Amino acid sequence: MVNMSSTVLKHKRATLERLEKYISEIYFTDVNLFGRVDSKIPHCKLYRSLARKQTYQAFESVKNGVFQLITEGEEFKPLWSQHWVKVIIPANVCNMENLYLHWDVSGAESLVCDKDGNLIQGMSHKRKEMKIVVKSHDEDAVFFIQISCTGLFGAGLNGMINAPDPNKTYNLTKAHIFVRDQAKYAVFMDLSVLYDIAKESDDNTSLCYDALYTGNEIINVITLNDHSPESYQQAIQIGKKLFNSGIVNGTSSRDTIHAIGNCHIDTAWLWPYRETIRKVARSWSTTISMFEAGMEFNFAGSQVVQFSWLKKFYPKLFSALKAQVVKGHFSPVGGSWVEMDTNIPNAESMVRQFLYGQKFYREEFGTHSDILWLPDTFGYSGQLPQIMQLCDIKYFLSQKLSWNLTNTFPHHTFIWKGIDQSKVLAHFPPGDTYESDLKIKDVLKTVSNNKDKGRTHDQMLLFGHGDGGGGPTPEMIDRLERISSITGMPQIVRSTPQKFFTAVEKSSNMLCEWWGELYFELHRGTYTTHAKLKESNRVAEFWMTDIEFLSSLDVKGLVSCSKIEEMWKTVLFNQFHDILPGSAIEQVFIDAMEDYTNLLILYNEEWETIRDVVMPDSKSFVVNPYNWARRQVLTINEVEEALVEVPSTYIGSISLVTPTDKAGAFVLEDGICLCNSLIKVVFSLEGLLKSLVHKPTQRECLEAGGMGNRYVIFDDVPLFWDAWDVMEYHVETRQEFHPTSIQVVESGPLRASVKITVPLGAHGDLTFIATVLAETPYLSFKADVSWRAAHKFLKVEFPLSVSSTEAQYEIQSGFVSRPTHANTSWDSAKFEVSGHKWAHLGEPNFGVGLLSKSKYGYSANHNCLTLSLLRSTKAPDANADMDDHVIEYAIYPHAGPLYTSRIVQHAINFNHPLLLHSTLHDNTIPRYKPTLNPARLVNKTSLRVSSEEVIVQAIKKGEHGSGLVVRLYEPYANTVSNVFISHDLLSQAFSINAVERESSKAPLSTSENKVGPLIFRPFEIKTIYLELDATVDFTNGSSSKRAKLDE
Ligand SMILES: [Zn+2]
């Protein structure tokens, strides 16, 4: 019989808020359920270690040291320091069931371990509880807690992304033990989920009201029975009307949500990387303890460097992690050394992210990840799909494009097609986050927001605190358990990234394609912020090209490759998506610059080691790793310059050549002219660039009446993300700065140059030297800038006489075209874009390139090509770019279309000039006397590439075996055939994938020491493995091949 007397017509809002107040942490806690779940016990003693300098390894030295009794309120400082506290829980308390520790140090991060140093879990402002598991009820329980004086998101002064507050202190505000009533807690969780369902689900569904009324009934039952233990058991039974325990929900659901735990840990961001090492330990120990406590979920861990830290600093925890990998609970994904930026690193760096990342996974876990995991990176290069495929990666996971300011990206699950037409399966979790709390709204949004409904019924939901680490909490798992058993909700399953992609792949014939780059409509300032990081990265990438090419002479494998791998890892580490983009605190920048300094030391040492083995007699030589001959003006001793020529793929001595051309500087009536046989440049008497004529076509390159090389400064105040964002309105604040003086510095015949001063007012000082070199088809600029600005953006503009609706920008092993107009919102959002060593504006038969040595931000507005030079952002680094800078760029006119322009080769020549290697390592520069007789050139390598239509990306020793790896790409979107690679010692050749997996090896036809003909598709990257006959000693000049010995 229905008891009508207790049923009232319920007002939805009143009933909903009744539920809310019943579980509120703020209101009515004296009578509500929240206030009854936990009971504090006043027994816990706290001691503070007096030992100093306590880092990740310090536990062993701390535990037996001197400790001092402390109480709540104890202060910890300074910022970034580490402190150990010993917590003793008396034996009489340890007898009790369901004991928890409540811990808070003003939100500082803490790491709990047991008395033997075994890590238990991390604590932070988002996780203040720890269930206490005692080994014995007869003795005191002892825990050690390491406090790090930083929060989950660093310690920004008056704002999360502001520069850290050096005076910040932390106080131990909570350190007590409580007992949790498990039945009350279960009802509390039931009510939380019921409240969420009633609040978040559609008013028109019965589920909404079922949840509301079930919650209401639970409160009535408990209240009417005066909170008796039986009433909570009754309440649990009432809850089960919705939470059909044991029955997987949504048998009628058409959608499957794959719930996967994760924990995005920025490798360095608002904290230095040393803290990240502890963050990894805190976050992953928490997850592993949850697994060990029997909680059912799966976790995806990414960024191989973080695994390598765990192995080095926390070996016991790493073993525990390995056990969870074997059980299938913990999935190592991503396969890249870090979650890198993909706008700025070059193609070879991207390949090495996977080569060294996957190597670690293979060696430690026996696995290979076929998922690229970049949830937070700022836009994705159009060459990534090919690089992924070449590295055996089929799937791509991100979500960052949900942050787009202008356009909503039209897909969540799609086929991503690269600029070379390679395809990968991509997924952006439709919940638009990688750090959900696994609440009802996250579950519902994951389905309702999915742009690819009907094409796929599977979607991923990532849960767990992230960015600063943290990961899933027990509450999230409790919610998962309840949500996954409610009929009427989308089906939610505990899944893994692999299971998700395998499921989606089955429906992939219905998915749409997206071609080319995934341009991120935000964070466009990161192409420019922290200029010195970008410059160092580019230089380091060239160091790696040179040293690996030199090491390729070591065909007998006399020198180990381990140092080269170590060097690469430094380069790769600093390509992390908050380091290289310049969006981290000052300490991260200082650490990175120190890394590059140490890298140079290592480079020099390694260079000498290899040189002593492969070229013991050569003290002065040049390296040309590229497959075209070089003619270049080179400094051959302290002051002398000469024109030198070396063949393609060359390591050896130099010889001088007689120039076929002269550079000159001439003072005219109304200006100064610099010229050679290819270009003629006129500066006004104030120093304005008035004219740039391409002599072979007599074409004026600058817009009629316009001036080139215009330095302009814009206001640069974004909406929030200071180091990250430049907004489109900055272009409305353009201010031009004019030169005030000009003088001729050199007047030929190899080099003609003028020096020009451009005052920048309070923002800084700028002088530049413009140079025309003999035989060189471009005008180069070298600007010295003392930069003191605040929230200003310095750029240089070239208004050209060239008209095109699209400009081209170099990316990894290719280029992309982007609009020069703003017809649509998609076009207008690209007002600032990234590019590597060149940008180009061209007509079918003429074009102008803008070459850059270390800048990555460009823009093209109609006929004006602009290079972004310096920003002056104040958060999270208050001093970013406040320094002296040397900025080099060049303007390069050419006849014909882009694909015959050789702009790629010129940009490499400009960026990576020949260097006399004796001068690199020693402070004492030898008086080297080059010869004028080209016949005396001795090339130490016999490797040759027959065509200049493809570009050498890397020549290196193979990872396995004694062969050489040659990586080449087609740069101009052409099909190129008939490419041959030859080597005097060639015995066999194979095509191989970029991570050099044996299983990918396929034999190629060879004859007379040559492999080929090879055919390259547009933008194709090929990796060729050359098996060499290392029994031939060819470094001494002998290149005759002997019969290969059987091994
Ligand atoms: Zn991140």
Side-chain angles (χ1 to χ4, degrees):
M1 201 176 95
V2 179
N3 180 359
M4 300 300 287
S5 66
S6 66
T7 307
V8 294
L9 177 63
K10 294 177 187 61
H11 182 262
K12 184 182 171 189
R13 188 180 143 199
T15 315
L16 188 65
E17 290 198 19
R18 184 187 188 203
L19 260 66
E20 183 193 9
K21 297 299 181 304
Y22 205 68
I23 52 175
S24 170
E25 296 178 26
I26 301 163
Y27 302 106
F28 304 107
T29 53
D30 52 337
V31 288
N32 74 4
L33 180 55
F34 175 81
R36 296 169 193 267
V37 173
D38 298 331
S39 319
K40 190 175 165 185
I41 300 175
H43 280 298
C44 163
K45 281 186 188 149
L46 304 165
Y47 302 84
R48 175 181 188 158
S49 165
L50 298 182
R52 287 169 176 271
K53 207 166 190 298
Q54 299 145 357
T55 59
Y56 16 80
Q57 302 127 308
F59 175 78
E60 290 301 322
S61 59
V62 165
K63 69 171 182 180
N64 296 321
V66 181
F67 280 79
Q68 189 177 62
L69 186 68
I70 57 166
T71 57
E72 282 188 16
E74 180 78 4
E75 184 182 85
F76 297 91
K77 63 181 184 184
L79 184 64
W80 313 129
S81 61
Q82 313 301 313
H83 308 268
W84 284 97
V85 170
K86 188 173 6 177
V87 179
I88 299 181
I89 304 164
N92 63 330
V93 173
C94 293
N95 279 328
M96 304 170 85
E97 297 292 321
N98 298 313
L99 282 181
Y100 286 76
L101 171 68
H102 194 171
W103 181 262
D104 188 16
V105 193
S106 313
E109 290 203 78
S110 304
L111 174 61
V112 188
C113 43
D114 68 14
K115 65 180 170 50
D116 301 316
N118 297 307
L119 306 192
I120 301 173
Q121 74 165 74
M123 311 279 264
S124 68
H125 76 279
K126 290 202 172 189
R127 192 191 306 263
K128 295 180 181 173
E129 289 174 13
M130 182 188 77
K131 180 151 194 192
I132 296 170
V133 180
V134 292
K135 289 190 178 129
S136 160
H137 294 288
D138 304 323
E139 58 183 65
D140 293 354
V142 179
F143 295 94
F144 290 87
I145 303 184
Q146 184 187 36
I147 297 166
S148 286
C149 285
T150 168
L152 264 184
F153 299 99
L157 178 61
N158 302 326
M160 180 180 86
I161 65 161
N162 290 348
D165 176 2
N167 300 317
K168 185 148 177 76
T169 58
Y170 296 85
N171 293 85
L172 181 58
T173 51
K174 280 203 177 69
H176 59 248
I177 311 297
F178 64 85
V179 173
R180 171 159 290 169
D181 183 314
Q182 292 300 324
K184 288 179 183 171
Y185 176 76
V187 175
F188 176 83
M189 285 308 299
D190 284 353
L191 281 176
S192 307
V193 174
L194 293 171
Y195 167 73
D196 267 358
I197 296 172
K199 186 176 167 217
E200 304 291 348
S201 57
D202 190 335
D203 254 4
N204 295 323
T205 60
S206 2
L207 179 63
C208 171
Y209 289 92
D210 286 348
L212 190 67
Y213 298 160
T214 306
N216 196 61
E217 194 183 345
I218 287 174
I219 299 175
N220 285 344
V221 159
I222 296 172
T223 310
L224 287 169
N225 291 288
D226 207 16
H227 296 271
S228 67
E230 297 72 30
S231 71
Y232 287 100
Q233 295 306 327
Q234 276 179 39
I236 289 169
Q237 293 309 315
I238 294 167
K240 280 190 178 164
K241 285 198 286 188
L242 244 79
F243 306 124
N244 301 315
S245 290
I247 303 169
V248 174
N249 72 355
T251 44
S252 62
S253 172
R254 303 188 65 77
D255 296 291
T256 301
I257 294 175
H258 296 249
I260 301 165
N262 85 126
C263 166
H264 183 64
I265 307 176
D266 285 314
T267 288
W269 182 33
L270 300 173
W271 52 86
Y273 79 89
R274 293 172 202 87
E275 193 56 53
T276 316
I277 299 173
R278 287 182 286 269
K279 276 178 182 287
V280 175
R282 289 191 285 263
S283 303
W284 291 359
S285 64
T286 306
T287 297
I288 289 163
S289 292
M290 286 168 69
F291 287 141
E292 289 171 350
M295 293 184 208
E296 286 180 29
F297 66 105
N298 296 94
F299 182 90
S302 62
Q303 305 208 68
V304 180
V305 71
Q306 299 185 1
F307 288 87
S308 77
W309 283 337
L310 212 62
K311 184 183 174 198
K312 182 172 177 186
F313 297 111
Y314 301 97
K316 268 203 238 174
L317 182 61
F318 187 62
S319 300
L321 184 150
K322 277 181 151 179
Q324 296 300 334
V325 171
V326 171
K327 287 180 181 166
H329 298 157
F330 197 115
S331 309
V333 294
S336 54
W337 189 248
V338 295
E339 287 176 13
M340 68 285 190
D341 179 74
T342 80
N343 289 316
I344 299 171
N346 72 10
E348 195 55 28
S349 290
M350 298 250 217
V351 166
R352 301 310 175 94
Q353 287 283 355
F354 300 117
L355 178 71
Y356 300 123
Q358 300 280 20
K359 184 179 171 191
F360 185 93
Y361 277 177
R362 203 172 46 248
E363 288 173 357
E364 298 298 333
F365 306 119
T367 60
H368 168 96
S369 173
D370 50 15
I371 303 161
L372 173 54
W373 193 269
L374 295 180
D376 192 30
T377 295
F378 313 152
Y380 304 94
S381 162
Q383 192 60 284
L384 254 181
Q386 181 181 195
I387 293 172
M388 288 167 63
Q389 274 208 346
L390 296 175
C391 297
D392 265 358
I393 294 170
K394 299 195 283 186
Y395 310 123
F396 177 63
L397 185 286
S398 180
Q399 68 78 47
K400 197 69 181 179
L401 263 56
S402 70
W403 286 38
N404 271 5
L405 197 66
T406 314
N407 299 286
T408 303
F409 191 76
H411 299 293
H412 284 102
T413 310
F414 59 103
I415 303 296
W416 182 21
K417 210 169 175 183
I419 58 168
D420 76 313
Q421 315 297 336
S422 293
K423 293 178 189 178
V424 294
L425 176 56
H427 181 67
F428 300 167
D432 289 347
T433 179
Y434 49 80
E435 46 183 5
S436 83
D437 286 333
L438 230 171
K439 288 198 158 184
I440 295 294
K441 65 175 176 8
D442 303 312
V443 173
L444 296 177
K445 185 179 179 186
T446 295
V447 172
S448 66
N449 191 43
N450 191 344
K451 303 270 186 304
D452 296 284
K453 288 190 193 76
R455 290 186 273 270
T456 175
H457 295 94
D458 292 276
Q459 38 262 304
M460 193 186 284
L461 194 169
L462 293 172
F463 65 94
H465 297 142
D467 290 341
T473 62
E475 291 75 23
M476 292 175 198
I477 308 306
D478 288 338
R479 275 196 285 277
L480 173 62
E481 195 179 314
R482 284 165 176 79
I483 297 168
S484 64
S485 65
I486 302 170
T487 305
M489 288 292 286
Q491 175 172 257
I492 182 163
V493 295
R494 294 160 174 83
S495 188
T496 67
Q498 194 65 47
K499 280 185 195 161
F500 165 80
F501 278 108
T502 307
V504 173
E505 208 161 35
K506 286 181 190 155
S507 57
S508 63
N509 60 339
M510 290 283 287
L511 299 176
C512 298
E513 285 182 356
W514 178 272
W515 183 86
E517 70 177 325
L518 295 167
Y519 177 82
F520 183 38
E521 295 176 353
L522 211 67
H523 294 5
R524 304 163 182 97
T526 60
Y527 320 142
T528 305
T529 312
H530 263 308
K532 287 197 161 45
L533 283 178
K534 272 104 176 158
E535 186 184 358
S536 303
N537 175 70
R538 187 175 289 181
V539 171
E541 288 177 336
F542 286 127
W543 290 341
M544 299 315 295
T545 310
D546 279 354
I547 200 161
E548 290 202 311
F549 181 49
L550 183 72
S551 80
S552 74
L553 291 184
D554 174 31
V555 292
K556 289 184 176 171
L558 301 174
V559 185
S560 146
C561 292
S562 63
K563 285 239 173 73
I564 287 183
E565 180 171 336
E566 192 185 326
M567 289 161 68
W568 262 118
K569 284 176 179 172
T570 300
V571 177
L572 303 179
F573 179 84
N574 288 296
Q575 293 174 345
F576 173 72
H577 66 256
D578 281 309
I579 303 180
L580 188 54
S583 48
I585 58 169
E586 187 173 17
Q587 186 59 49
V588 172
F589 167 71
I590 292 167
D591 291 343
M593 294 310 290
E594 202 178 300
D595 270 358
Y596 289 119
T597 304
N598 292 333
L599 179 65
L600 179 58
I601 293 167
L602 195 57
Y603 171 84
N604 286 338
E605 287 169 3
E606 187 63 0
W607 186 275
E608 281 170 24
T609 306
I610 301 171
R611 183 198 61 193
D612 289 349
V613 170
V614 300
M615 313 183 62
D617 309 324
S618 307
K619 294 296 175 205
S620 287
F621 59 96
V622 292
V623 170
N624 175 20
Y626 303 106
N627 50 315
W628 56 92
R630 309 276 291 268
R631 281 170 79 89
Q632 184 196 308
V633 175
L634 180 73
T635 304
I636 52 170
N637 55 43
E638 280 158 282
V639 286
E640 256 179 280
E641 280 193 323
L643 190 72
V644 300
E645 183 179 75
V646 298
S648 64
T649 48
Y650 177 80
I651 301 177
S653 57
I654 53 167
S655 74
L656 307 187
V657 288
T658 311
T660 58
D661 180 25
K662 275 196 289 198
F666 306 95
V667 179
L668 312 171
E669 214 166 84
D670 58 346
I672 293 174
C673 168
L674 303 179
C675 66
N676 61 19
S677 65
L678 301 168
I679 51 172
K680 181 184 168 194
V681 179
V682 178
F683 287 93
S684 76
L685 288 174
E686 294 81 45
L688 289 162
L689 176 59
K690 291 199 302 186
S691 168
L692 168 60
V693 173
H694 178 249
K695 280 168 119 177
T697 57
Q698 283 303 306
R699 172 106 177 222
E700 171 59 58
C701 301
L702 299 181
E703 170 186 78
M707 297 285 176
N709 197 49
R710 297 191 305 215
Y711 291 104
V712 285
I713 290 183
F714 302 85
D715 243 38
D716 190 10
V717 186
L719 298 176
F720 178 70
W721 298 100
D722 194 6
W724 294 258
D725 286 345
V726 57
M727 310 308 294
E728 79 274 13
Y729 52 75
H730 83 285
V731 298
E732 296 173 347
T733 61
R734 179 180 175 282
Q735 254 192 303
E736 201 173 320
F737 290 78
H738 295 286
T740 51
S741 71
I742 181 169
Q743 70 185 94
V744 175
V745 182
E746 289 192 65
S747 52
L750 288 177
R751 178 186 293 267
S753 52
V754 289
K755 184 176 182 181
I756 295 169
T757 302
V758 185
L760 301 177
H763 310 314
D765 305 310
L766 189 156
T767 55
F768 71 90
I769 291 175
T771 300
V772 171
L773 292 168
E775 297 192 8
T776 302
Y778 46 79
L779 167 67
S780 59
F781 299 86
K782 185 175 184 181
D784 285 295
V785 188
S786 274
W787 188 233
R788 301 183 292 272
H791 288 116
K792 300 287 174 186
F793 197 164
L794 176 68
K795 303 188 184 187
V796 63
E797 295 176 343
F798 289 90
L800 302 171
S801 67
V802 178
S803 174
S804 174
T805 54
E806 285 188 329
Q808 292 76 39
Y809 303 86
E810 188 187 33
I811 62 164
Q812 295 84 357
S813 309
F815 66 84
V816 288
S817 295
R818 300 185 183 111
T820 58
H821 55 79
N823 277 3
T824 68
S825 59
W826 293 87
D827 301 328
S828 71
K830 292 178 181 164
F831 60 85
E832 177 85 14
V833 296
S834 67
H836 285 195
K837 300 184 292 299
W838 56 268
H840 177 264
L841 198 62
E843 296 167 0
N845 214 22
F846 186 79
V848 178
L850 179 52
L851 315 181
S852 150
K853 240 182 188 178
S854 63
K855 300 296 163 191
Y856 291 86
Y858 294 88
S859 50
N861 186 4
H862 299 290
N863 63 329
C864 185
L865 209 50
T866 302
L867 182 65
S868 299
L869 304 181
L870 289 170
R871 296 184 73 212
S872 45
T873 61
K874 302 300 169 194
D877 178 357
N879 302 307
D881 289 307
M882 295 296 99
D883 205 343
D884 294 339
H885 300 266
V886 179
I887 302 169
E888 293 186 69
Y889 53 95
I891 192 89
Y892 165 52
H894 66 87
L898 177 69
Y899 77 87
T900 60
S901 69
R902 293 178 64 82
I903 191 171
V904 175
Q905 287 87 341
H906 285 302
I908 289 175
N909 292 350
F910 177 65
N911 265 272
H912 190 188
L914 295 174
L915 200 61
L916 202 53
H917 270 284
S918 56
T919 63
L920 186 70
H921 319 300
D922 312 321
N923 291 326
T924 51
I925 300 163
R927 303 294 297 179
Y928 180 67
K929 289 286 176 207
T931 162
L932 257 172
N933 178 5
R936 289 187 58 192
L937 281 178
V938 178
N939 192 359
K940 290 287 183 177
T941 174
S942 70
L943 184 99
R944 291 281 173 277
V945 178
S946 67
S947 169
E948 295 186 19
E949 291 181 75
V950 293
I951 305 282
V952 164
Q953 180 169 310
I955 297 172
K956 65 184 278 286
K957 286 157 84 172
E959 294 295 307
H960 321 287
S962 59
L964 289 188
V965 164
V966 182
R967 194 154 20 248
L968 302 151
Y969 69 96
E970 191 293 313
Y972 295 112
N974 273 323
T975 296
V976 174
S977 46
N978 271 325
V979 177
F980 291 88
I981 303 171
S982 62
H983 195 291
D984 286 356
L985 306 183
L986 183 69
S987 64
Q988 290 183 82
F990 302 86
S991 82
I992 194 166
N993 74 5
V995 286
E996 301 174 39
R997 277 180 112 178
E998 282 295 312
S999 56
S1000 70
K1001 250 176 155 179
L1004 294 168
S1005 68
T1006 55
S1007 71
E1008 295 173 353
N1009 302 349
K1010 272 194 316 198
V1011 51
L1014 304 169
I1015 301 170
F1016 285 74
R1017 288 178 287 106
F1019 296 130
E1020 185 181 2
I1021 303 168
K1022 271 190 200 295
T1023 305
I1024 310 295
Y1025 184 80
L1026 307 178
E1027 194 79 58
L1028 302 183
D1029 182 351
T1031 58
V1032 180
D1033 183 5
F1034 92 116
T1035 54
N1036 288 331
S1038 161
S1039 62
S1040 61
K1041 193 173 164 188
R1042 282 187 241 145
K1044 193 172 179 242
L1045 297 172
D1046 287 328
E1047 281 144 19

